[in-house]
Amino acid sequence: METSDENLVTLAQTGDAAAFSALISRHYDLIHRIGFRVLGSQTEAQDMTQDLCLALATKITSFRADAKFTTWLYRVAINAARDRLRKRKTRQKATEGWGDFELNSRAAEAENRAQLDWLNQAMATLPKDLRETVALVLGEDLTHDAAATILNISPGTVSWRMSEVKKHLRALAQKEELIQ
């Protein structure tokens, strides 16, 4: 003789793992059918069913026997499917703007790459002493005093070199604007 759902629930609520397992085995297909019909996806229904079966271990304590166990289980399964649909819609809304964000991000990256390429090409046209100074002051973020010590020149010379670099880069940029 088969044990009733209500008896299995009572045992499961007291921590009887075998009773809980028997309930899950008995109603797994029901949960899956509800999930599939509401969600419309076999994969989503399987995920929902597995998640719900795990959650039922704690949810079963909330069953009060006001109705049949299957009535309560239908309600729980419907709510789980609704939650999944809400999450799906939320994810879709969240990802809608990502396309624009990604395009803008790629455009900004391309612009940054273009600027870096231009800067690298412009730096290659600088004399060696100016390039070394820029590498220390801007590239390594050293003070003029620290760069002067390393280069064995005065801090005033470092300042003058940086001024020359700026003039050189401005002239290159203006020349390119005239060409375009």
Side-chain angles (χ1 to χ4, degrees):
M1 185 166 167
E2 189 173 275
T3 307
S4 71
D5 284 346
E6 285 69 24
N7 287 340
L8 289 173
V9 168
T10 302
L11 292 170
Q13 287 177 328
T14 62
D16 187 328
F20 180 75
S21 180
L23 276 172
I24 294 298
S25 296
R26 187 179 290 177
H27 297 292
Y28 188 89
D29 290 340
L30 176 143
I31 296 168
H32 185 267
R33 280 193 314 271
I34 296 293
F36 179 71
R37 289 181 179 141
V38 173
L39 299 169
S41 162
Q42 185 72 15
T43 305
E44 287 250 9
Q46 287 171 342
D47 289 347
M48 184 214 78
T49 302
Q50 290 173 6
D51 291 346
L52 183 54
C53 286
L54 289 172
L56 280 175
T58 55
K59 286 183 182 283
I60 201 149
T61 58
S62 70
F63 177 68
R64 295 183 312 258
D66 295 343
K68 286 176 58 175
F69 174 73
T70 51
T71 303
W72 176 82
L73 189 57
Y74 276 120
R75 206 171 305 126
V76 171
I78 289 287
N79 287 337
R82 287 177 180 165
D83 287 346
R84 277 205 176 260
L85 285 174
R86 271 193 295 275
K87 287 177 184 174
R88 183 192 303 167
K89 286 179 184 175
T90 301
R91 267 191 313 257
Q92 286 172 342
K93 283 181 184 177
T95 59
E96 283 175 0
W98 281 102
D100 294 338
F101 173 79
E102 186 64 27
L103 289 175
N104 290 337
S105 178
R106 287 182 183 179
E109 284 178 31
E111 186 177 330
N112 286 343
R113 271 194 306 273
Q115 288 173 349
L116 281 174
D117 289 345
W118 180 87
L119 188 57
N120 285 333
Q121 290 172 356
M123 294 298 286
T125 66
L126 289 173
K128 182 179 141 237
D129 59 339
L130 295 182
R131 241 189 343 250
E132 290 171 351
T133 306
V134 169
L136 294 173
V137 174
L138 296 179
E140 296 302 314
D141 202 25
L142 295 178
T143 65
H144 287 207
D145 288 337
T149 302
I150 293 167
L151 295 172
N152 201 26
I153 57 177
S154 73
T157 302
V158 170
S159 297
W160 175 83
R161 285 181 179 179
M162 291 304 296
S163 175
E164 289 299 304
V165 167
K166 289 176 187 175
K167 285 181 197 173
H168 182 78
L169 294 178
R170 252 189 249 115
L172 276 176
Q174 288 173 349
K175 184 179 173 184
E176 287 184 13
E177 283 179 17
L178 293 175
I179 293 173
Q180 294 175 3

mmCIF file of all heavy atoms in Angstrom, residues 147-180:
data_model
loop_
_atom_site.group_PDB
_atom_site.id
_atom_site.type_symbol
_atom_site.label_atom_id
_atom_site.label_comp_id
_atom_site.label_asym_id
_atom_site.label_seq_id
_atom_site.Cartn_x
_atom_site.Cartn_y
_atom_site.Cartn_z
ATOM 1 N N ALA A 147 63.772 63.358 -12.590
ATOM 2 C CA ALA A 147 64.200 63.108 -13.973
ATOM 3 C C ALA A 147 65.553 63.751 -14.221
ATOM 4 O O ALA A 147 66.419 63.163 -14.893
ATOM 5 C CB ALA A 147 63.158 63.638 -14.954
ATOM 6 N N ALA A 148 65.757 64.941 -13.663
ATOM 7 C CA ALA A 148 67.031 65.643 -13.836
ATOM 8 C C ALA A 148 68.174 64.839 -13.239
ATOM 9 O O ALA A 148 69.255 64.720 -13.839
ATOM 10 C CB ALA A 148 66.960 67.027 -13.201
ATOM 11 N N THR A 149 67.976 64.276 -12.068
ATOM 12 C CA THR A 149 68.996 63.464 -11.416
ATOM 13 C C THR A 149 69.353 62.263 -12.280
ATOM 14 O O THR A 149 70.526 61.938 -12.480
ATOM 15 C CB THR A 149 68.504 62.997 -10.026
ATOM 16 O OG1 THR A 149 68.196 64.159 -9.244
ATOM 17 C CG2 THR A 149 69.547 62.160 -9.318
ATOM 18 N N ILE A 150 68.324 61.585 -12.797
ATOM 19 C CA ILE A 150 68.552 60.385 -13.616
ATOM 20 C C ILE A 150 69.288 60.743 -14.910
ATOM 21 O O ILE A 150 70.216 60.033 -15.322
ATOM 22 C CB ILE A 150 67.212 59.686 -13.925
ATOM 23 C CG1 ILE A 150 66.620 59.110 -12.629
ATOM 24 C CG2 ILE A 150 67.375 58.590 -14.970
ATOM 25 C CD1 ILE A 150 65.176 58.664 -12.736
ATOM 26 N N LEU A 151 68.878 61.849 -15.531
ATOM 27 C CA LEU A 151 69.473 62.238 -16.813
ATOM 28 C C LEU A 151 70.775 63.031 -16.652
ATOM 29 O O LEU A 151 71.413 63.377 -17.641
ATOM 30 C CB LEU A 151 68.452 63.056 -17.628
ATOM 31 C CG LEU A 151 67.190 62.301 -18.063
ATOM 32 C CD1 LEU A 151 66.189 63.267 -18.681
ATOM 33 C CD2 LEU A 151 67.540 61.189 -19.051
ATOM 34 N N ASN A 152 71.105 63.336 -15.416
ATOM 35 C CA ASN A 152 72.316 64.094 -15.126
ATOM 36 C C ASN A 152 72.290 65.476 -15.780
ATOM 37 O O ASN A 152 73.258 65.920 -16.400
ATOM 38 C CB ASN A 152 73.561 63.304 -15.534
ATOM 39 C CG ASN A 152 74.799 63.788 -14.808
ATOM 40 O OD1 ASN A 152 74.698 64.342 -13.710
ATOM 41 N ND2 ASN A 152 75.963 63.581 -15.415
ATOM 42 N N ILE A 153 71.122 66.127 -15.643
ATOM 43 C CA ILE A 153 70.958 67.496 -16.148
ATOM 44 C C ILE A 153 70.246 68.297 -15.063
ATOM 45 O O ILE A 153 69.824 67.741 -14.042
ATOM 46 C CB ILE A 153 70.134 67.521 -17.469
ATOM 47 C CG1 ILE A 153 68.750 66.857 -17.275
ATOM 48 C CG2 ILE A 153 70.885 66.861 -18.608
ATOM 49 C CD1 ILE A 153 67.852 66.911 -18.502
ATOM 50 N N SER A 154 70.054 69.575 -15.283
ATOM 51 C CA SER A 154 69.394 70.401 -14.265
ATOM 52 C C SER A 154 67.870 70.291 -14.409
ATOM 53 O O SER A 154 67.369 70.008 -15.496
ATOM 54 C CB SER A 154 69.816 71.864 -14.419
ATOM 55 O OG SER A 154 69.204 72.423 -15.567
ATOM 56 N N PRO A 155 67.148 70.545 -13.315
ATOM 57 C CA PRO A 155 65.681 70.534 -13.389
ATOM 58 C C PRO A 155 65.139 71.560 -14.384
ATOM 59 O O PRO A 155 64.120 71.326 -15.028
ATOM 60 C CB PRO A 155 65.235 70.868 -11.965
ATOM 61 C CG PRO A 155 66.382 70.459 -11.096
ATOM 62 C CD PRO A 155 67.607 70.687 -11.922
ATOM 63 N N GLY A 156 65.844 72.667 -14.530
ATOM 64 C CA GLY A 156 65.450 73.685 -15.504
ATOM 65 C C GLY A 156 65.525 73.144 -16.928
ATOM 66 O O GLY A 156 64.665 73.459 -17.762
ATOM 67 N N THR A 157 66.523 72.296 -17.194
ATOM 68 C CA THR A 157 66.658 71.700 -18.523
ATOM 69 C C THR A 157 65.506 70.718 -18.780
ATOM 70 O O THR A 157 64.970 70.653 -19.884
ATOM 71 C CB THR A 157 68.020 70.986 -18.664
ATOM 72 O OG1 THR A 157 69.053 71.948 -18.422
ATOM 73 C CG2 THR A 157 68.199 70.381 -20.030
ATOM 74 N N VAL A 158 65.116 69.986 -17.740
ATOM 75 C CA VAL A 158 63.975 69.073 -17.875
ATOM 76 C C VAL A 158 62.736 69.887 -18.223
ATOM 77 O O VAL A 158 61.975 69.526 -19.130
ATOM 78 C CB VAL A 158 63.762 68.242 -16.590
ATOM 79 C CG1 VAL A 158 62.445 67.477 -16.639
ATOM 80 C CG2 VAL A 158 64.922 67.298 -16.366
ATOM 81 N N SER A 159 62.510 70.999 -17.532
ATOM 82 C CA SER A 159 61.355 71.851 -17.806
ATOM 83 C C SER A 159 61.405 72.390 -19.223
ATOM 84 O O SER A 159 60.383 72.407 -19.930
ATOM 85 C CB SER A 159 61.291 73.013 -16.816
ATOM 86 O OG SER A 159 61.118 72.528 -15.504
ATOM 87 N N TRP A 160 62.558 72.835 -19.665
ATOM 88 C CA TRP A 160 62.714 73.344 -21.024
ATOM 89 C C TRP A 160 62.421 72.241 -22.048
ATOM 90 O O TRP A 160 61.719 72.467 -23.036
ATOM 91 C CB TRP A 160 64.150 73.878 -21.234
ATOM 92 C CG TRP A 160 64.379 74.293 -22.659
ATOM 93 C CD1 TRP A 160 64.039 75.492 -23.212
ATOM 94 C CD2 TRP A 160 64.977 73.511 -23.683
ATOM 95 N NE1 TRP A 160 64.380 75.501 -24.544
ATOM 96 C CE2 TRP A 160 64.962 74.272 -24.851
ATOM 97 C CE3 TRP A 160 65.524 72.231 -23.722
ATOM 98 C CZ2 TRP A 160 65.470 73.820 -26.061
ATOM 99 C CZ3 TRP A 160 66.023 71.778 -24.929
ATOM 100 C CH2 TRP A 160 65.995 72.566 -26.084
ATOM 101 N N ARG A 161 62.936 71.017 -21.800
ATOM 102 C CA ARG A 161 62.700 69.908 -22.718
ATOM 103 C C ARG A 161 61.198 69.583 -22.811
ATOM 104 O O ARG A 161 60.680 69.325 -23.886
ATOM 105 C CB ARG A 161 63.465 68.656 -22.279
ATOM 106 C CG ARG A 161 64.951 68.736 -22.557
ATOM 107 C CD ARG A 161 65.628 67.458 -22.132
ATOM 108 N NE ARG A 161 67.066 67.485 -22.397
ATOM 109 C CZ ARG A 161 67.893 66.503 -22.101
ATOM 110 N NH1 ARG A 161 67.445 65.390 -21.510
ATOM 111 N NH2 ARG A 161 69.176 66.596 -22.371
ATOM 112 N N MET A 162 60.524 69.594 -21.687
ATOM 113 C CA MET A 162 59.089 69.312 -21.700
ATOM 114 C C MET A 162 58.334 70.388 -22.484
ATOM 115 O O MET A 162 57.387 70.090 -23.207
ATOM 116 C CB MET A 162 58.541 69.202 -20.274
ATOM 117 C CG MET A 162 59.024 67.959 -19.526
ATOM 118 S SD MET A 162 58.665 66.405 -20.379
ATOM 119 C CE MET A 162 56.883 66.418 -20.378
ATOM 120 N N SER A 163 58.783 71.627 -22.353
ATOM 121 C CA SER A 163 58.190 72.715 -23.124
ATOM 122 C C SER A 163 58.418 72.489 -24.621
ATOM 123 O O SER A 163 57.514 72.699 -25.433
ATOM 124 C CB SER A 163 58.798 74.044 -22.683
ATOM 125 O OG SER A 163 58.343 75.093 -23.484
ATOM 126 N N GLU A 164 59.606 72.034 -24.976
ATOM 127 C CA GLU A 164 59.922 71.746 -26.386
ATOM 128 C C GLU A 164 59.069 70.596 -26.925
ATOM 129 O O GLU A 164 58.617 70.620 -28.074
ATOM 130 C CB GLU A 164 61.410 71.409 -26.550
ATOM 131 C CG GLU A 164 62.334 72.596 -26.362
ATOM 132 C CD GLU A 164 62.068 73.687 -27.390
ATOM 133 O OE1 GLU A 164 62.119 73.405 -28.603
ATOM 134 O OE2 GLU A 164 61.802 74.826 -26.961
ATOM 135 N N VAL A 165 58.844 69.605 -26.074
ATOM 136 C CA VAL A 165 58.008 68.473 -26.480
ATOM 137 C C VAL A 165 56.594 68.963 -26.796
ATOM 138 O O VAL A 165 56.005 68.590 -27.815
ATOM 139 C CB VAL A 165 57.980 67.389 -25.374
ATOM 140 C CG1 VAL A 165 56.885 66.370 -25.624
ATOM 141 C CG2 VAL A 165 59.329 66.704 -25.272
ATOM 142 N N LYS A 166 56.046 69.800 -25.932
ATOM 143 C CA LYS A 166 54.695 70.330 -26.146
ATOM 144 C C LYS A 166 54.620 71.134 -27.435
ATOM 145 O O LYS A 166 53.678 70.997 -28.221
ATOM 146 C CB LYS A 166 54.267 71.196 -24.958
ATOM 147 C CG LYS A 166 53.980 70.393 -23.702
ATOM 148 C CD LYS A 166 53.663 71.296 -22.531
ATOM 149 C CE LYS A 166 53.548 70.501 -21.251
ATOM 150 N NZ LYS A 166 53.362 71.360 -20.076
ATOM 151 N N LYS A 167 55.628 71.976 -27.681
ATOM 152 C CA LYS A 167 55.661 72.757 -28.922
ATOM 153 C C LYS A 167 55.693 71.836 -30.137
ATOM 154 O O LYS A 167 54.974 72.041 -31.115
ATOM 155 C CB LYS A 167 56.900 73.663 -28.955
ATOM 156 C CG LYS A 167 56.832 74.865 -28.080
ATOM 157 C CD LYS A 167 58.114 75.673 -28.239
ATOM 158 C CE LYS A 167 58.296 76.650 -27.124
ATOM 159 N NZ LYS A 167 59.615 77.323 -27.189
ATOM 160 N N HIS A 168 56.531 70.804 -30.053
ATOM 161 C CA HIS A 168 56.692 69.862 -31.161
ATOM 162 C C HIS A 168 55.369 69.129 -31.443
ATOM 163 O O HIS A 168 54.945 69.004 -32.597
ATOM 164 C CB HIS A 168 57.807 68.857 -30.828
ATOM 165 C CG HIS A 168 58.094 67.885 -31.907
ATOM 166 N ND1 HIS A 168 58.844 68.210 -33.023
ATOM 167 C CD2 HIS A 168 57.711 66.579 -32.070
ATOM 168 C CE1 HIS A 168 58.926 67.154 -33.821
ATOM 169 N NE2 HIS A 168 58.248 66.145 -33.257
ATOM 170 N N LEU A 169 54.703 68.658 -30.391
ATOM 171 C CA LEU A 169 53.451 67.935 -30.564
ATOM 172 C C LEU A 169 52.332 68.844 -31.086
ATOM 173 O O LEU A 169 51.548 68.448 -31.946
ATOM 174 C CB LEU A 169 53.025 67.271 -29.252
ATOM 175 C CG LEU A 169 53.935 66.148 -28.739
ATOM 176 C CD1 LEU A 169 53.413 65.610 -27.417
ATOM 177 C CD2 LEU A 169 54.057 65.029 -29.758
ATOM 178 N N ARG A 170 52.289 70.091 -30.605
ATOM 179 C CA ARG A 170 51.303 71.052 -31.100
ATOM 180 C C ARG A 170 51.510 71.330 -32.574
ATOM 181 O O ARG A 170 50.560 71.365 -33.362
ATOM 182 C CB ARG A 170 51.397 72.361 -30.309
ATOM 183 C CG ARG A 170 50.242 72.565 -29.374
ATOM 184 C CD ARG A 170 50.211 73.940 -28.742
ATOM 185 N NE ARG A 170 50.521 73.762 -27.320
ATOM 186 C CZ ARG A 170 51.587 74.220 -26.691
ATOM 187 N NH1 ARG A 170 52.463 74.960 -27.313
ATOM 188 N NH2 ARG A 170 51.776 73.981 -25.430
ATOM 189 N N ALA A 171 52.751 71.488 -32.955
ATOM 190 C CA ALA A 171 53.056 71.767 -34.361
ATOM 191 C C ALA A 171 52.642 70.579 -35.241
ATOM 192 O O ALA A 171 52.084 70.773 -36.331
ATOM 193 C CB ALA A 171 54.547 72.074 -34.525
ATOM 194 N N LEU A 172 52.915 69.370 -34.788
ATOM 195 C CA LEU A 172 52.513 68.192 -35.548
ATOM 196 C C LEU A 172 50.998 68.115 -35.699
ATOM 197 O O LEU A 172 50.471 67.813 -36.764
ATOM 198 C CB LEU A 172 53.011 66.907 -34.868
ATOM 199 C CG LEU A 172 54.417 66.464 -35.157
ATOM 200 C CD1 LEU A 172 54.758 65.233 -34.308
ATOM 201 C CD2 LEU A 172 54.611 66.138 -36.618
ATOM 202 N N ALA A 173 50.280 68.361 -34.602
ATOM 203 C CA ALA A 173 48.812 68.293 -34.620
ATOM 204 C C ALA A 173 48.246 69.355 -35.574
ATOM 205 O O ALA A 173 47.337 69.080 -36.344
ATOM 206 C CB ALA A 173 48.261 68.471 -33.213
ATOM 207 N N GLN A 174 48.791 70.579 -35.527
ATOM 208 C CA GLN A 174 48.316 71.640 -36.418
ATOM 209 C C GLN A 174 48.604 71.299 -37.869
ATOM 210 O O GLN A 174 47.782 71.537 -38.747
ATOM 211 C CB GLN A 174 48.948 72.979 -36.040
ATOM 212 C CG GLN A 174 48.409 73.552 -34.750
ATOM 213 C CD GLN A 174 49.179 74.801 -34.293
ATOM 214 O OE1 GLN A 174 50.230 75.126 -34.835
ATOM 215 N NE2 GLN A 174 48.632 75.476 -33.286
ATOM 216 N N LYS A 175 49.764 70.730 -38.128
ATOM 217 C CA LYS A 175 50.133 70.331 -39.480
ATOM 218 C C LYS A 175 49.158 69.291 -40.019
ATOM 219 O O LYS A 175 48.715 69.362 -41.170
ATOM 220 C CB LYS A 175 51.560 69.787 -39.483
ATOM 221 C CG LYS A 175 52.092 69.436 -40.835
ATOM 222 C CD LYS A 175 53.524 68.943 -40.702
ATOM 223 C CE LYS A 175 54.043 68.433 -42.014
ATOM 224 N NZ LYS A 175 55.385 67.867 -41.895
ATOM 225 N N GLU A 176 48.796 68.343 -39.184
ATOM 226 C CA GLU A 176 47.860 67.304 -39.595
ATOM 227 C C GLU A 176 46.452 67.869 -39.818
ATOM 228 O O GLU A 176 45.736 67.426 -40.706
ATOM 229 C CB GLU A 176 47.812 66.171 -38.576
ATOM 230 C CG GLU A 176 49.051 65.302 -38.615
ATOM 231 C CD GLU A 176 48.971 64.125 -37.665
ATOM 232 O OE1 GLU A 176 47.875 63.820 -37.154
ATOM 233 O OE2 GLU A 176 50.030 63.515 -37.441
ATOM 234 N N GLU A 177 46.042 68.855 -39.018
ATOM 235 C CA GLU A 177 44.737 69.473 -39.218
ATOM 236 C C GLU A 177 44.689 70.207 -40.546
ATOM 237 O O GLU A 177 43.668 70.186 -41.221
ATOM 238 C CB GLU A 177 44.435 70.451 -38.072
ATOM 239 C CG GLU A 177 44.011 69.782 -36.799
ATOM 240 C CD GLU A 177 43.740 70.750 -35.664
ATOM 241 O OE1 GLU A 177 43.563 71.955 -35.946
ATOM 242 O OE2 GLU A 177 43.690 70.304 -34.517
ATOM 243 N N LEU A 178 45.776 70.847 -40.926
ATOM 244 C CA LEU A 178 45.832 71.547 -42.206
ATOM 245 C C LEU A 178 45.741 70.578 -43.382
ATOM 246 O O LEU A 178 45.127 70.882 -44.395
ATOM 247 C CB LEU A 178 47.097 72.385 -42.313
ATOM 248 C CG LEU A 178 47.203 73.594 -41.367
ATOM 249 C CD1 LEU A 178 48.566 74.261 -41.491
ATOM 250 C CD2 LEU A 178 46.095 74.586 -41.664
ATOM 251 N N ILE A 179 46.338 69.420 -43.210
ATOM 252 C CA ILE A 179 46.331 68.408 -44.270
ATOM 253 C C ILE A 179 44.918 67.846 -44.442
ATOM 254 O O ILE A 179 44.465 67.606 -45.555
ATOM 255 C CB ILE A 179 47.344 67.281 -43.971
ATOM 256 C CG1 ILE A 179 48.757 67.851 -44.034
ATOM 257 C CG2 ILE A 179 47.193 66.118 -44.940
ATOM 258 C CD1 ILE A 179 49.836 66.882 -43.588
ATOM 259 N N GLN A 180 44.211 67.666 -43.371
ATOM 260 C CA GLN A 180 42.868 67.078 -43.442
ATOM 261 C C GLN A 180 41.921 68.151 -43.849
ATOM 262 O O GLN A 180 41.047 68.228 -44.464
ATOM 263 C CB GLN A 180 42.444 66.496 -42.104
ATOM 264 C CG GLN A 180 43.285 65.331 -41.698
ATOM 265 C CD GLN A 180 42.923 64.829 -40.285
ATOM 266 O OE1 GLN A 180 42.013 65.313 -39.655
ATOM 267 N NE2 GLN A 180 43.665 63.844 -39.825
#
